């Protein structure tokens, strides 16, 4: 049932793009329409790159503080989608891509997505980890040369 909805959405979006292309092309001319599509792609991709680097730096700051950068990861995925939409030829996809470039829109969508996200795991299985940040300029001692040892307990249950 969801496949049918997605297919219907894609067909409708394609028809809408064709309609808008025809209307804009008849108003400003074919070459101007093509130039406008290329211009929106170039400007959009440069904005995606700038905002993507900013989101990456925010995520790195959260990791350094020991926090999970969930919001930044979702925002990064939306920026990637925005880049794809801006590269696709069409004014409707460009409009959707520009909407995803707006930080308040991304924040609202990320909040909605994260509020619905659930962490699932098999019953009885747990995983614990610690993150330690080391400077790149640290001095290696004898223990570093030997390797890293992880301690833990493993329980394996055979399939029945």
């Amino acid at each position: 049932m969801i496949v049918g909805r997605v297919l219907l959405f894609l067909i409708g979006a394609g028809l809408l793009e064709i309609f808008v292309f025809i209307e804009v092309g008849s108003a400003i001319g074919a070459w101007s329409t093509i130039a406008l599509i290329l211009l929106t792609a170039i400007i959009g991709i440069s904005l995606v790159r700038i905002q993507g680097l900013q989101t990456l730096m925010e995520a790195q700051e959260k990791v350094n503080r020991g926090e999970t950068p969930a919001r930044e990861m979702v925002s990064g995925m939306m920026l990637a989608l925005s880049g794809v939409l801006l590269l696709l030829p069409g004014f409707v996809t460009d409009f959707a891509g520009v909407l995803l470039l707006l930080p308040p829109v991304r924040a609202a969508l990320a909040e909605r997505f994260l509020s619905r996200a659930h962490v699932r795991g098999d019953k009885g299985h747990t995983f614990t980890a610690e993150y330690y940040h080391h400077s790149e300029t640290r001095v290696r001692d004898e223990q570093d040369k030997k390797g890293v040892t992880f301690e833990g307990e493993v329980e394996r249950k055979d399939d029945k």
Side-chain angles (χ1 to χ4, degrees), residues 79-92:
L79 283 170
L81 178 61
S82 173
V84 169
L85 290 172
L86 287 165
L87 280 177
L88 290 173
F91 294 106
V92 176

Side-chain angles (χ1 to χ4, degrees), residues 30-70:
W31 290 110
S32 297
T33 303
I34 292 171
L36 189 57
I37 290 293
L38 291 174
L39 182 65
T40 58
I42 291 168
I43 292 172
I45 292 302
S46 63
L47 289 172
V48 167
R49 185 178 59 104
I50 291 167
Q51 289 188 15
L53 289 173
Q54 182 181 2
T55 302
L56 181 64
M57 290 172 58
E58 290 170 2
Q60 185 63 42
E61 286 176 16
K62 277 196 168 183
V63 168
N64 288 340
R65 289 192 309 254
E67 300 173 12
T68 305

Side-chain angles (χ1 to χ4, degrees), residues 17-149:
E17 282 289 9
I18 291 170
F19 175 76
V20 173
F21 262 132
I22 291 170
E23 290 297 315
V24 172
S26 65
I28 66 172
W31 290 110
S32 297
T33 303
I34 292 171
L36 189 57
I37 290 293
L38 291 174
L39 182 65
T40 58
I42 291 168
I43 292 172
I45 292 302
S46 63
L47 289 172
V48 167
R49 185 178 59 104
I50 291 167
Q51 289 188 15
L53 289 173
Q54 182 181 2
T55 302
L56 181 64
M57 290 172 58
E58 290 170 2
Q60 185 63 42
E61 286 176 16
K62 277 196 168 183
V63 168
N64 288 340
R65 289 192 309 254
E67 300 173 12
T68 305
R71 219 169 246 100
E72 288 75 14
M73 291 172 59
V74 172
S75 182
M77 289 187 299
M78 284 189 275
L79 283 170
L81 178 61
S82 173
V84 169
L85 290 172
L86 287 165
L87 280 177
L88 290 173
F91 294 106
V92 176
T93 55
D94 286 349
F95 180 73
V98 167
L99 278 179
L100 285 176
L101 280 177
L102 300 174
V105 173
R106 272 199 328 271
L109 289 174
E111 189 64 37
R112 182 173 179 178
F113 177 79
L114 290 173
S115 69
R116 294 177 179 214
H118 298 284
V119 177
R120 295 185 198 173
D122 291 337
K123 195 173 190 179
H125 290 80
T126 59
F127 176 77
T128 329
E130 294 182 21
Y131 173 79
Y132 296 98
H133 178 71
H134 294 284
S135 168
E136 291 180 9
T137 59
R138 68 183 173 153
V139 179
R140 295 184 70 141
D141 60 8
E142 291 301 319
Q143 189 175 8
D144 283 343
K145 293 178 184 175
K146 292 179 186 175
V148 179
T149 303

